[in-house]
Amino acid sequence: MTVTATSVDESDQLKPQAAPASRLARLVRLVPAAVAALSGVLLYVSFPPRTLWWLALPAFACFGWVLRGRSWKAGLGLGYLFGLGFLLPLLVWTGVEVGPGPWIALVVVEAIFVALVGAAITAVSKLPAWPLWAAALWIAGEAVRARVPFHGFPWGKIAFGQADGVFLPLAAVGGTPVLGFAVVLCGFGLYEIVRLVLESRSTRVVRRSAAAVALLSVAVPVVGAVAARSLVSDKAEDGTTTVAVIQGNVPRAGLEFNAQRRAVLDYHVKETLRLAARVKAGKVAKPDVVLWPENSSDVDPFADAQAYADIDAAAKAIGAPISVGGVVERGGKLYNEQILWDPVKGPTDTYDKRQIQPFGEYLPMRSLLGAINKNWTSMVRQDFSRGTKPGVFTMNGAKIGLVTCYEAAFDWAVRSEVTDGAQLISVPSNNATFDRSEMTYQQLAMSRVRAVEHSRTVTVPVTSGVSAIIMPDGKITQKTGMFVPDSLVQKVPLRSSETPATKLGILPEMALVLVAAAGLGWAIGAGVRRRRAGSV
């Protein structure tokens, strides 16, 4: 009896000690998940309006740490957490006026692509030179996300967070895929260097080939970016033109401003007339080209005589052609259109937006969404139709390529204007529905990347700001505040030479997708061979 009592006492003493150990083990198992989510947040912090572009490197270094050597199932979950950490704060602006439902739904879907990339990276992480395959897989994921569903959503491409970074010149080499690949490769390479250093300290063995690959993963992107600076120039090749960017402002922020489209048109006419008075007084240089933003005339000037007369009066007062952003109905179809308005001839040319925004300019699955919530269908009563041709306006001898707002996120939409002869790019936008969120700064960074990618001056006329003038080297020379009427006037260079990125087009992205496929195929084949060997 005495022995039994002692055994019970010893057992009771052991139980309280086992519980803390068990809790500690559970906490340790949660560390990779926490690091994955926080790494995604770190990647978000690297994006505009902050200029902390370099934080993308430790973000991917930490992401590499949580993925390397794990199962594909673990990679799927960790990748999803990384995607949520990154995209939830990055895309919060999508719910500014419509509530959290659409914002959460968008992030939940987009994070799936990141999850799939995470699962694929776990497979290639066992291969030699794994940072190369892993970085290529990330770009392959971006390529898919830029195309599906609903014609894609490229927002959040790694390249768009690098407008202030040392890697930016690589955009001129191979566009956003090469720029993004360099950043991701460098991040994974940094982790591999740290891992190999720690490994060599514990084993006293230096794996030279692995160390060389890790060092090259960091060195090649940096050296390549330095070498690519020779491709970046803001010198005029075809003379100069003086542009005026008009920001008329809106009566108030939010979706309601569309119900006040007459006031928005009046504001842009008024700001143009104010600029004309300053030009007449000799305070500002006379512009050769005047650029209005998207939705600056939601009153169809082809159907409304007063709107036609007001725009015509503004063009005559300033004495220069105006690119007017209008909403036009033609043949029973609705178009988001840029209209070239000559001070003498009136409207002479048009460009219809080709990459229209799902759930903003057209409603996919309209009947299904209407059954869920009738308010959603009432917000987009009629779908916009897509344009079919690039838009390059000849304005006082300068060829201006039009890329309307959302289109700036799509590689093909910008490149097509340059290959069609654009010497300058204009990105007319309307960000009023997103209030003072980070959206306008994220979009402005895209335009800076596009300037370097194609070596063109880029102007960004926005209804409510931030409007800006960007040189071909990506530097902003002038910009406005938000929700104020203003105008920017500047002599800018015209350029016609094509960067390697412009000439190559989709080829760099295709090459990186093939590299990703080759690495994944190698990893899957190696895994199959290991399983067969183990079963023998």
Side-chain angles (χ1 to χ4, degrees):
M1 294 294 292
T2 306
V3 173
T4 303
T6 303
S7 299
V8 171
D9 290 342
E10 288 176 352
S11 175
D12 290 341
Q13 289 173 2
L14 289 173
K15 284 180 181 178
Q17 295 172 4
S22 177
R23 284 196 295 269
L24 181 61
R26 285 197 295 268
L27 288 174
V28 169
R29 286 197 293 270
L30 288 175
V31 168
V35 172
L38 291 174
S39 297
V41 174
L42 192 64
L43 181 59
Y44 155 70
V45 175
S46 75
F47 271 65
R50 294 157 297 278
T51 58
L52 303 173
W53 58 270
W54 52 271
L55 286 178
L57 304 182
F60 278 103
C62 293
F63 192 41
W65 174 74
V66 300
L67 292 179
R68 189 180 184 281
R70 297 187 184 275
S71 69
W72 70 266
K73 291 181 181 179
L76 197 68
L78 293 169
Y80 198 75
L81 289 172
F82 183 83
L84 290 178
F86 173 45
L87 295 172
L88 269 171
L90 185 80
L91 302 178
V92 67
W93 52 266
T94 59
V96 167
E97 292 297 329
V98 294
W103 162 47
I104 299 297
L106 174 63
V107 171
V108 165
V109 171
E110 291 297 312
I112 292 173
F113 294 97
V114 184
L116 293 172
V117 169
I121 289 176
T122 59
V124 301
S125 69
K126 303 176 181 69
L127 298 178
W130 74 267
L132 171 68
W133 313 112
L137 279 166
W138 182 273
I139 299 306
E142 287 190 344
V144 175
R145 199 160 65 84
R147 290 165 174 81
V148 293
F150 313 125
H151 298 274
F153 186 73
W155 219 278
K157 272 189 168 188
I158 299 305
F160 296 148
Q162 297 295 308
D164 291 292
V166 298
F167 297 103
L168 180 60
L170 288 170
V173 176
T176 60
V178 168
L179 173 54
F181 173 75
V183 175
V184 179
L185 177 62
C186 198
F188 285 146
L190 282 173
Y191 162 64
E192 182 67 351
I193 289 172
V194 173
R195 187 185 73 82
L196 291 172
V197 168
L198 294 176
E199 179 186 273
S200 66
R201 285 183 177 180
S202 62
T203 63
R204 303 295 181 181
V205 175
V206 177
R207 293 192 289 136
R208 293 183 179 180
S209 59
V213 170
L215 290 170
L216 286 172
S217 297
V218 175
V220 169
V222 174
V223 172
V226 173
R229 288 180 181 176
S230 61
L231 299 173
V232 180
S233 173
D234 61 358
K235 292 182 180 178
E237 295 176 332
D238 304 299
T240 61
T241 191
T242 301
V243 298
V245 171
I246 302 297
Q247 178 176 300
N249 202 14
V250 297
R252 60 176 178 267
L255 293 174
E256 299 83 2
F257 105 89
N258 285 309
Q260 306 166 52
R261 52 188 186 271
R262 171 66 67 178
V264 175
L265 171 58
D266 290 345
Y267 284 9
H268 285 83
V269 169
K270 181 180 179 181
E271 187 59 30
T272 305
L273 295 177
R274 189 173 78 88
L275 176 61
R278 293 171 63 206
V279 170
K280 187 175 181 180
K283 296 179 180 179
V284 179
K286 184 180 185 300
D288 302 308
V289 172
V290 179
L291 303 167
W292 284 13
E294 178 189 34
N295 297 121
S296 48
S297 179
D298 278 351
V299 181
D300 186 347
F302 299 111
D304 189 294
Q306 187 59 54
Y308 187 107
D310 290 344
I311 297 170
D312 203 53
K316 284 180 167 58
I318 197 67
I322 304 176
S323 179
V324 178
V327 173
V328 173
E329 187 170 352
R330 187 169 54 251
K333 295 181 178 181
L334 204 61
Y335 294 94
N336 186 334
E337 190 167 86
Q338 287 290 311
I339 307 165
L340 175 54
W341 207 287
D342 187 86
V344 177
K345 301 176 183 177
T348 60
D349 200 0
T350 60
Y351 166 65
D352 298 323
K353 187 176 182 180
R354 294 170 292 166
Q355 188 69 44
I356 56 177
Q357 182 182 351
F359 305 101
E361 293 172 306
Y362 78 99
L363 202 61
M365 306 179 295
R366 180 177 287 273
S367 58
L368 175 62
L369 292 174
I372 297 172
N373 190 330
K374 290 184 179 180
N375 291 332
W376 292 349
T377 56
S378 66
M379 291 174 66
V380 186
R381 291 187 177 86
Q382 181 180 351
D383 292 342
F384 280 82
S385 295
R386 298 176 184 274
T388 57
K389 298 179 181 178
V392 179
F393 289 167
T394 301
M395 304 175 72
N396 264 338
K399 294 182 178 179
I400 315 296
L402 284 307
V403 180
T404 306
C405 196
Y406 184 57
E407 292 182 319
F410 294 83
D411 296 347
W412 65 267
V414 184
R415 178 178 179 267
S416 65
E417 313 302 67
V418 179
T419 57
D420 205 46
Q423 300 166 308
L424 180 151
I425 299 170
S426 182
V427 185
S429 302
N430 169 28
N431 299 338
T433 52
F434 304 112
D435 203 6
R436 296 180 182 273
S437 69
E438 294 182 356
M439 183 271 186
T440 190
Y441 300 102
Q442 293 171 8
Q443 192 176 55
L444 186 59
M446 291 180 193
S447 296
R448 294 178 62 191
V449 172
R450 299 306 185 191
V452 174
E453 181 180 11
H454 298 292
S455 194
R456 295 292 186 273
T457 299
V458 176
T459 60
V460 187
V462 185
T463 50
S464 56
V466 173
S467 300
I469 296 175
I470 305 166
M471 290 293 99
D473 60 3
K475 291 184 174 62
I476 297 174
T477 52
Q478 290 191 61
K479 64 179 180 179
T480 69
M482 295 184 73
F483 293 100
V484 291
D486 206 348
S487 60
L488 307 174
V489 179
Q490 185 174 323
K491 182 183 288 187
V492 298
L494 299 175
R495 294 177 59 85
S496 57
S497 63
E498 294 187 352
T499 63
T502 307
K503 293 175 182 176
L504 292 171
I506 198 175
L507 292 179
E509 184 178 59
M510 290 177 61
L512 289 170
V513 169
L514 290 174
V515 170
L520 190 57
W522 182 9
I524 292 172
V528 171
R529 287 190 294 273
R530 281 195 300 269
R531 283 194 295 272
R532 286 177 178 173
S535 64
V536 174

